[in-house]
Amino acid sequence: MTIRTLEGLVERVLGMPGVPRLAVASCAEDFVIQACLAAHERGLAEPIFVGDREQTARVSERLGADLAPFEFHHAPEPAAAVEQCIRLYRAGDAGAIMKGKVSTDVLLRGVLNKETGVPPAGVLSHVGVFGAPGQDRLMILTDAGINISPNLQRKADIVRNALAVARALGISAPRVAMLAATEKVIYPAMPATLDAQMVARMGEQGEFGDAQVAGPFALDLAVSARAVECKGVDNPVAGRADILVAPDIESGNILYKALTSMMNVDMAGIVAGSRVPIVLPSRGDTDRTKFFSIALATLMAAAAGNSVCAGQNDSGQTVSGQIASGQTASDQTASGGRET
């Protein structure tokens, strides 16, 4: 059954067995704590707070929130908080990681660390899910936060990650629009238009299963029936796109923040392609967006058969609450991550 709203996403996750444990890196941020407490209250997730104890206490006091019942790990530095979250995941004490008050590049450096991180399942990309304005359906935007200037093959991988999310949402035969400034191929002046055309041809050859992939499409052609009529385009994706694939991180990030900041659109953001489910909203996102991001990560973890629930680790053993101190993570490099 197709999930049509973000609240419907929450309801779907609440219908699944167990309550997943969520390790929150650098948790001392108002909206992060509010989202985690809301997720706990709704039975969506059991947060494990990781961060600076004094800063977290100040934030929780300001919010009037009681964090005493929750497991807490003291890790003052963002990199150390990320490392501690990864340790919890690797030990089977958490099923997912959430980005708190830490930049994306620091988070990804920890996750991709070859010695202490979690090997990726494939190419990592950011996937945002939001309610289509004025319509009863969800849409997907990618990649607004990880891949800076993806080449043709990386764009194909980004499409595959977005399709995995779309299918978990129950969207059958997803319609994918490869975005550019125009629907015409203008090369070499606008190389993104040629990439879009090539990815669309890959779709025609069956590279993406039942998905319908088209491009290059200007944004209006991807989402507006009026623009389709005016431009006289006959394509099943035109005006009806389920997935918007930005040509680079700049355009994707601008579109993401135009939706959330200017139109007050709620968003759910995760990292796709990772073995560990990662909740990845922007640091400036609201508590609602971060709450819905938790729900999306939980759905994707279940779809991948990767879930550690409250009270058990992946061996079925009881997990006890504890206070632990974090260690500083070594300085590693992650490909493509930037602050969002």
Side-chain angles (χ1 to χ4, degrees):
M1 185 175 179
T2 304
I3 300 173
R4 297 191 172 277
T5 65
L6 291 178
E7 193 57 47
L9 167 64
V10 173
E11 294 302 321
R12 174 69 61 84
V13 172
L14 290 176
M16 299 188 307
V19 180
R21 289 167 57 84
L22 177 69
V24 187
S26 290
C27 60
E29 195 274 329
D30 295 49
F31 287 154
V32 168
I33 290 176
Q34 288 174 326
C36 289
L37 293 180
H40 171 72
E41 184 176 349
R42 295 276 303 265
L44 198 64
E46 180 72 19
I48 304 170
F49 294 107
V50 182
D52 184 275
R53 183 179 288 104
E54 292 184 3
Q55 292 180 9
T56 304
R58 287 196 294 268
V59 173
S60 60
E61 183 178 0
R62 182 168 65 246
L63 295 174
D66 181 13
L67 301 188
F70 299 99
E71 185 175 338
F72 187 91
H73 295 256
H74 179 59
E77 298 300 322
V82 170
E83 186 173 292
Q84 176 62 25
C85 288
I86 294 170
R87 280 199 294 268
L88 289 167
Y89 175 79
R90 288 172 62 118
D93 295 336
I97 293 174
M98 180 175 181
K99 171 188 169 185
K101 197 174 182 180
V102 56
S103 61
T104 299
D105 59 328
V106 171
L107 177 63
L108 293 183
R109 276 201 297 271
V111 171
L112 295 175
N113 185 305
K114 293 182 179 179
E115 296 181 357
T116 61
V118 181
V123 168
L124 304 187
S125 60
H126 179 270
V127 176
V129 177
F130 62 99
Q135 301 179 52
D136 182 30
R137 66 186 182 101
L138 291 174
M139 292 182 67
I140 291 172
L141 170 63
T142 189
D143 175 345
I146 294 180
N147 293 281
I148 298 173
S149 183
N151 59 21
L152 176 62
Q153 185 55 54
R154 182 61 60 93
K155 287 177 181 178
D157 290 329
I158 288 170
V159 170
R160 291 187 183 95
N161 283 348
L163 287 172
V165 176
R167 288 166 179 144
L169 294 170
I171 301 174
S172 59
R175 298 180 292 266
V176 183
M178 304 298 298
L179 297 183
T182 175
E183 59 273 15
K184 298 177 181 179
V185 175
I186 303 175
Y187 187 83
M190 303 177 73
T193 60
L194 181 59
D195 283 352
Q197 183 187 64
M198 296 302 293
V199 174
R201 287 182 179 173
M202 292 171 65
E204 293 171 0
Q205 295 168 1
E207 288 288 329
F208 308 113
D210 63 352
Q212 302 175 79
V213 184
F217 273 6
L219 177 62
D220 59 346
L221 187 57
V223 300
S224 168
R226 181 188 61 79
V228 173
E229 182 179 357
C230 290
K231 295 183 178 183
V233 175
D234 182 17
N235 186 291
V237 178
R240 305 169 61 211
D242 298 305
I243 300 173
L244 304 175
V245 182
D248 56 32
I249 196 173
E250 292 173 330
S251 54
N253 195 272
I254 290 169
L255 178 53
Y256 179 102
K257 289 176 178 173
L259 289 167
T260 59
S261 299
M262 299 179 67
M263 297 183 64
N264 295 318
V265 170
D266 290 324
M267 189 80 68
I270 63 167
V271 173
S274 173
R275 294 189 189 279
V276 51
I278 302 175
V279 182
L280 194 76
S282 170
R283 285 173 296 167
D285 281 337
T286 65
D287 56 325
R288 284 176 57 84
T289 282
K290 292 174 179 178
F291 172 77
F292 289 130
S293 298
I294 294 171
L296 181 59
T298 302
L299 178 73
M300 295 308 298
N306 180 12
S307 178
V308 175
C309 296
Q312 288 189 326
N313 62 18
D314 58 0
S315 299
Q317 299 172 327
T318 300
V319 177
S320 60
Q322 58 183 331
I323 301 288
S325 61
Q327 298 176 356
T328 302
S330 58
D331 186 18
Q332 303 289 331
T333 58
S335 60
R338 284 297 180 267
E339 293 187 7
T340 61

